[in-house]
Amino acid sequence: QVHLVESGGGLVQAGGSLRLSCAASGRTITTYAMGWFRQAPGKEREFVSAISWSGGSTYYADSVKGRFTISRDNAKNTVYLQMNSLKPEDTAVYYCAAVEGALYITTVQATYSYDYWGQGTQVTVSS
């Protein structure tokens, strides 16, 4: 199994930037598709971004497209989420997720598509 640990969250002013990291252990992430989700208090967990095992395909929620960038460094066994132009509505706990093998386009945004999850890191954006 894969153990995922998120880091890099914190408090930032609107318009600022944060870089989240997801460090994996137990397995290399070379053969895993990776995703980022977020959950605000009282709301359902929602899709943010995903990246294929090869790194050749990336996916973004409409709400973050153009502001967030997902990337992976397999040598470091780490996935990143660079968040720019942050807005107060981006405030949430951000979770890293992983699934071995291909990530089907029809289910890329679904939580049930992923088998492994981190504990989350808090991102708070002040106005």
Side-chain angles (χ1 to χ4, degrees):
Q1 61 181 24
V2 178
H3 182 224
L4 306 175
V5 179
E6 303 94 336
S7 63
L11 176 64
V12 64
Q13 293 182 341
S17 299
L18 284 174
R19 188 192 193 193
L20 304 184
S21 298
C22 174
S25 62
R27 299 282 193 281
T28 64
I29 61 170
T30 304
T31 61
Y32 287 76
M34 307 293 295
W36 285 97
F37 290 75
R38 66 188 183 186
Q39 187 169 21
K43 296 184 178 180
E44 296 292 321
R45 190 168 299 185
E46 66 175 357
F47 170 78
V48 176
S49 185
I51 187 168
S52 64
W53 66 266
S54 67
S57 298
T58 57
Y59 310 89
Y60 298 94
D62 289 341
S63 60
V64 306
K65 190 174 183 179
R67 299 188 296 119
F68 292 9
T69 302
I70 189 171
S71 62
R72 64 192 300 159
D73 187 340
N74 289 343
K76 296 182 180 294
N77 224 30
T78 301
V79 175
Y80 304 96
L81 184 68
Q82 178 66 47
M83 306 185 295
N84 298 326
S85 302
L86 284 163
K87 305 174 181 179
E89 50 263 45
D90 293 320
T91 296
V93 176
Y94 283 70
Y95 297 90
C96 178
V99 60
E100 187 173 19
L103 187 62
Y104 293 104
I105 186 65
T106 55
T107 59
V108 65
Q109 301 182 58
T111 58
Y112 60 74
S113 296
Y114 301 85
D115 295 325
Y116 305 99
W117 295 83
Q119 293 296 104
T121 185
Q122 177 70 48
V123 172
T124 303
V125 184
S126 62
S127 60

